[in-house]
Amino acid sequence: MTAGATAILTSVLAGPAAHADTYPSKAIRIIAPFAAGTGPDTNAREIAGELTKLLGQTVFVDNRPGASSIIGTEAAAKAAPDGYTLYIGTTSSLSVLPHLYTRLPFDAEKDFAPVSLLGVLNTGLIAHPKVAAADGKQLIAMLRAKPDSLNTASQGVGSYSHLAGEWFGSASGTKMTFVPYNSSSPYGDLMAGQVQLMFDGLPAAAGSIRAGKLKLLAITGKARHPAFPDVPTFEEAGLPDYRPLAWQGLLAPAGTPAPILNRLSEAMQQAAKNPELAEKWRQYGGELRATTPDAFARFIADDRAMWGKVVRDARVKLD
């Protein structure tokens, strides 16, 4: 083999490792499949700010909302696997969507390389203050006595809030009337009493709950959440297997070199140690949580399987 050929072969074999040694050498884009100014967007920008400090290069958020997060997710799946385009995945985009649609322009399992979990948001049973039940156990008794007597808001058929409500109904043996809000927030109507219940992650409702404009009847988790110590868990209401979590995590296009994934995961784990950021997540009923790529891959696989059963039981299909 000639010296030139040997040099080329050596360069090819060492390419990913050498690239990882100098990574990152330019700005990193994070595709976020949700609109600017939303709660998930705020979370994405906070973590981008932390990564900017830790990686020594600008990390910025590129919002690609639309089509129930399909537009942004497809763009991320088709990006170059070089570590300079990343993606914020969620429960809805990677665990739920694959079960709602027969065909998608991406493969949620094969097109992404997990980097790290970002954080989880406990799901709450949120109610208008005039709902007579004081907790989840009393609400279940009310609904069993009077099926369909309460209207439950959702952010559209097949949305996280809708499926979390369907799961609750199946687990508790109760029936509710679901009212979908496909293009607007339901919280105004919930506070006005036009709908009485909603199942959702807590950031959007936490302030109104503390102000007494809404009340929290139950929350997911193995133990009571420190931000809402007086609120019983769903397990205390008799539903030990009801455990929906709204999560966000960082992923890269499939084929991104493992050394780069590990570098990013290490940065995420360092970012999760920021006490101010961790406290923000606690205050709205969540937990800032970073993982290794392998642990995040297992987390997504388990979550996707769990939501598959929920979607099948609810008989929801969007195509």
Side-chain angles (χ1 to χ4, degrees):
M1 183 179 291
T2 66
T6 300
I8 292 172
L9 178 59
T10 301
S11 175
V12 170
L13 294 176
H19 184 55
D21 287 342
T22 59
Y23 175 85
S25 60
K26 62 180 181 180
I28 299 170
R29 171 179 65 147
I30 300 179
I31 293 179
F34 25 76
T38 60
D41 174 62
T42 299
N43 300 144
R45 291 178 187 277
E46 288 171 343
I47 206 68
E50 291 299 308
L51 292 178
T52 294
K53 291 184 285 187
L54 292 165
L55 295 173
Q57 294 287 347
T58 298
V59 180
F60 66 94
V61 174
D62 178 9
N63 297 95
R64 298 287 189 93
S68 300
S69 78
I70 292 174
I71 291 174
T73 305
E74 180 185 9
K78 294 178 178 178
D82 57 6
Y84 291 100
T85 296
L86 306 176
Y87 168 69
I88 295 288
T90 67
T91 312
S92 295
S93 64
L94 295 183
S95 292
V96 175
L97 277 182
H99 302 293
L100 293 176
Y101 293 90
T102 304
R103 298 181 65 182
L104 287 168
F106 59 86
D107 188 316
E109 185 174 355
K110 296 179 180 179
D111 287 349
F112 294 98
V115 172
S116 170
L117 192 63
L118 195 169
V120 297
L121 300 170
N122 286 19
T123 298
L125 171 49
I126 305 159
H128 184 269
K130 290 187 178 179
V131 171
D135 55 34
K137 193 170 185 178
Q138 289 186 14
L139 184 83
I140 291 171
M142 284 177 57
L143 289 171
R144 285 175 177 169
K146 295 183 178 180
D148 287 322
S149 58
L150 297 176
N151 292 326
T152 303
S154 82
Q155 289 159 333
V157 175
S159 65
Y160 180 87
S161 52
H162 172 223
L163 293 172
E166 292 279 10
W167 185 354
F168 174 85
S170 175
S172 62
T174 60
K175 289 186 178 182
M176 299 161 285
T177 301
F178 287 95
V179 181
Y181 288 73
N182 294 310
S183 59
S184 61
S185 171
Y187 279 101
D189 281 359
L190 182 59
M191 286 188 282
Q194 295 180 30
V195 288
Q196 291 79 47
L197 301 173
M198 186 170 178
F199 296 82
D200 200 9
L202 292 176
S208 297
I209 291 168
R210 292 191 176 97
K213 297 178 181 179
L214 295 171
K215 64 180 180 179
L216 186 60
L217 302 183
I219 191 170
T220 53
K222 294 181 180 179
R224 294 191 181 193
H225 195 279
F228 301 97
D230 297 329
V231 178
T233 64
F234 283 99
E235 184 167 353
E236 291 178 76
L239 305 178
D241 296 324
Y242 181 74
R243 47 193 178 91
L245 279 177
W247 59 263
Q248 295 176 41
L250 190 68
L251 301 98
T256 301
I260 290 178
L261 300 178
N262 291 330
R263 173 82 173 93
L264 289 165
S265 176
E266 290 166 4
M268 288 287 286
Q269 292 174 63
Q270 190 65 31
K273 296 178 182 178
N274 181 320
E276 293 181 3
L277 195 54
E279 181 59 23
K280 282 184 181 180
W281 279 74
R282 278 193 294 272
Q283 284 302 309
Y284 49 61
E287 178 189 356
L288 189 66
R289 187 193 301 176
T291 61
T292 65
D294 286 345
F296 188 28
R298 291 192 296 272
F299 176 92
I300 295 173
D302 291 345
D303 194 64
R304 186 180 293 132
M306 182 176 69
W307 283 102
K309 183 179 186 306
V310 173
V311 172
R312 289 192 298 273
D313 289 349
R315 298 180 181 179
V316 178
K317 207 70 176 173
L318 298 183
D319 58 6

